[in-house]
Amino acid sequence: LVIAATGIMVFLATLALAFALTAGRVAETWEDGLAASLTIRLPASAETSTAQMDRIFAILDTTPGLGAPRLLASDEQSAYLEPWLGATFDLSLFSLPQMVDVPIADPGFDPAGLRNRLAGEVPDAVLEDHRNWRAPLVAAADQVRRLGLLALLVIFAGLAAIIVLACQAAMIASIPVISTLRLIGARDSFVARAFVRRFTLRALLGAAGGTLFGMILIAALPNADVAGGFLTGLGFQGWGWFMPLLVPVVAGVVAFFATRAAALR
């Protein structure tokens, strides 16, 4: 019972750890990627003349804190829309807006000043500062990471409760043996050590099996590149693969102290 219960709980703990680490990577990716650039959009309905686009580039060239702007080609825009519209959708039926990708070179860049200049000189241009909606996305990813860590604590608390109940049941079943040992002079610490050793070793065995099964399952999941990057990429990367190896150790420590407390009580 202890081996099976520990294996199941540690398997869930391994998944929760992968979930938390993945949420952390997503938060960092969003924060780095969305903070690095902004977009200027010139609607297709406007008179998107060469003079307007030249004026936009002139404004960008004289704005401090920005890198070299780049006009997105139509095939690049089509590639961005392909995951939603499909590869066979004919985008030539629509007039796509002209998009300018502008890297941010200085974190102290003032987007309000650029927005005011564009509004005064090119009213049809729309400045999209990705940092405006980066904050709630990063906060959501951080919240998911915290929930994953909280799930780890709940799982280990449940594991401790299961081991305590199993230890108490085993001690109740062993009352005649314990009574005999006490009659011949055995101390409480001696009796407790016997149960602690037994349940700790069983918990370690179950934890090793649960961690191994969890890592195999996570390794078999599709990565973000193959599956398109939507709700994928769950798992460990690089040195993160060593993190699950700490789960059986934590499970063993929890089993040791839980069993010791229950046995001595």
Side-chain angles (χ1 to χ4, degrees):
L1 175 62
V2 173
I3 295 177
T6 305
I8 293 173
M9 299 298 283
V10 169
F11 169 74
L12 296 177
T14 303
L15 295 183
L17 178 61
F19 192 65
L21 293 179
T22 301
R25 289 199 306 271
V26 169
E28 293 175 0
T29 300
W30 285 348
E31 188 170 11
D32 295 340
L34 297 179
S37 66
L38 53 84
T39 303
I40 297 178
R41 173 169 49 88
L42 196 59
S45 59
E47 295 180 0
T48 55
S49 63
T50 303
Q52 283 182 302
M53 189 56 64
D54 290 342
R55 188 57 192 160
I56 291 176
F57 274 85
I59 294 174
L60 295 176
D61 291 338
T62 57
T63 302
L66 297 179
R70 182 175 63 90
L71 180 64
L72 296 183
S74 58
D75 55 344
E76 291 183 85
Q77 297 187 53
S78 301
Y80 289 139
L81 296 174
E82 184 175 320
W84 287 270
L85 302 179
T88 59
F89 191 83
D90 188 8
L91 291 176
S92 62
L93 300 176
F94 301 92
S95 298
L96 296 178
Q98 296 192 46
M99 308 287 291
V100 180
D101 179 60
V102 186
I104 299 176
D106 184 1
F109 157 73
D110 179 24
L114 177 60
R115 182 176 285 107
N116 292 334
R117 288 192 63 187
L118 290 173
E121 301 184 37
V122 190
D124 292 326
V126 179
L127 175 64
E128 297 178 353
D129 187 1
H130 302 160
R131 296 177 297 180
N132 291 336
W133 49 278
R134 176 194 64 183
L137 288 177
V138 174
D142 286 335
Q143 184 66 22
V144 171
R145 175 169 50 184
R146 287 191 288 269
L147 289 176
L149 296 177
L150 178 61
L152 277 175
L153 296 178
V154 173
I155 289 172
F156 282 118
L159 175 61
I162 292 174
I163 291 177
V164 166
L165 293 176
C167 179
Q168 290 176 344
M171 295 192 73
I172 292 174
S174 303
I175 285 179
V177 177
I178 296 175
S179 300
T180 302
L181 290 174
R182 292 178 64 88
L183 287 175
I184 63 177
R187 297 178 178 272
D188 290 345
S189 58
F190 175 82
V191 177
R193 278 198 303 270
F195 284 92
V196 170
R197 181 171 57 251
R198 173 186 176 187
F199 280 90
T200 301
L201 290 177
R202 291 186 176 184
L204 284 173
L205 180 60
T211 302
L212 178 62
F213 183 67
M215 293 178 68
I216 292 175
L217 180 63
I218 291 173
L221 294 175
N223 57 46
D225 295 334
V226 175
F230 181 69
L231 295 180
T232 57
L234 177 66
F236 308 104
Q237 293 183 1
W239 289 99
W241 280 102
F242 290 95
M243 295 293 292
L245 301 181
L246 298 177
V247 177
V249 177
V250 176
V253 172
V254 170
F256 174 83
F257 285 103
T259 306
R260 187 173 185 274
L264 291 177
R265 183 172 64 250

